Every structure is written in structure tokens, then in C-alpha cells.
Amino acid sequence: MSDAVAAEKLYTYEDVKGHTTKKDLWMVVHDKVYDVSSFVDEHPGGEEVMMDVGGQDATDSFEDVGHSDEAREILEKMLVGKVKRNPGDPKPKTPAPLAPQAPGQQTDGGASVYAFFILAAIVAFGAYKYIS
């Protein structure tokens, strides 16, 4: 689907909630709807983290990890539309304001990334123990 066509297509949260399997996985990030099914097996954080937010608004999870520009470009290729809000839907998630940055200063989300992977490992281990 071309970006222009995808940008015009509207989906409700009910539409998105119907796509929660590994082979049919959608999520919302910043009020845009993405079909991430083709990326589940390639996701560096593992499929569990994507499955946990499938069919819902994944904006906070996506931003908390501190995804790279490359990850954002990959995500944009999976765009299928935008969210059409109905009464009772979750409020839009807005990005946190960025702190002013001195020239040449770099931000490092390293601690957040490690915490995310540790949490993902704990969840995966718990799921493994629960299933077996």
C-alpha cells in the first residue's frame, strides 16, 4: 500500500483489536496504524514484546525503548492507516517534551534499553514456566 493511500485509510481501535496474532499483528503508534506482521520474527527484542502490545496503542512502549531512526523508517514502511477515534477510545498519546540539548551533546537511552530487555526476559521466562 502506498504511503499516500495508507495515510488516507482510517481504522478504529475495534479494527486494530482484531489483529493480534503473529501472522496478523497490528498496532497503533502516534495515532498511526501499522501492520507489523512481517517484522515479528525479525524484531531484535523478540516476538513477545510485539505480541504484548499487538492490537492496541503501543506508543508508550515504542518510545520507552528509544528506537533508532532506522527502526522508525522500518515502521513507516508498515503503515496501513490512521486511527479514527470514537467516543470511549483511549486518549491520544503525546510525546514527552524534549529537553533542550547543547550542541554536540548526545542522548543515550542505554539504561532504558537494558531495562527493557531484562523485563522482556523476565516476562518470557515467566511465560515459559507458566506454559510448561
Side-chain angles (χ1 to χ4, degrees):
M1 181 179 300
S2 76
D3 289 344
V5 172
E8 295 174 15
K9 189 97 170 122
L10 296 177
Y11 297 95
T12 66
Y13 271 100
E14 285 302 313
D15 295 330
V16 176
K17 287 179 184 178
H19 300 272
T20 58
T21 65
K22 184 176 174 180
K23 293 186 186 288
D24 182 29
L25 190 64
W26 288 17
M27 61 183 60
V28 175
V29 178
H30 294 296
D31 281 352
K32 293 181 181 178
V33 179
Y34 298 95
D35 179 350
V36 295
S37 311
S38 62
F39 195 68
V40 173
D41 289 328
E42 299 173 36
H43 189 263
E47 70 181 56
E48 296 85 15
V49 295
M50 292 185 75
M51 297 298 295
D52 285 346
V53 293
Q56 54 189 306
D57 192 328
T59 302
D60 288 342
S61 298
F62 184 82
E63 292 301 341
D64 285 348
V65 175
H67 282 89
S68 66
D69 290 340
E70 182 182 5
R72 293 171 191 279
E73 289 173 16
I74 292 169
L75 184 65
E76 283 306 311
K77 292 176 186 174
M78 295 181 250
L79 179 69
V80 294
K82 293 183 179 180
V83 170
K84 177 185 177 208
R85 294 196 174 276
N86 290 322
D89 282 348
K91 299 270 188 235
K93 311 252 176 151
T94 55
L98 298 174
Q101 196 172 349
Q105 180 184 3
Q106 294 183 353
T107 59
D108 183 20
S112 298
V113 172
Y114 289 119
F116 174 79
F117 283 113
I118 290 170
L119 180 61
I122 291 169
V123 169
F125 179 75
Y128 171 76
K129 285 295 189 181
Y130 179 76
I131 291 170
S132 59

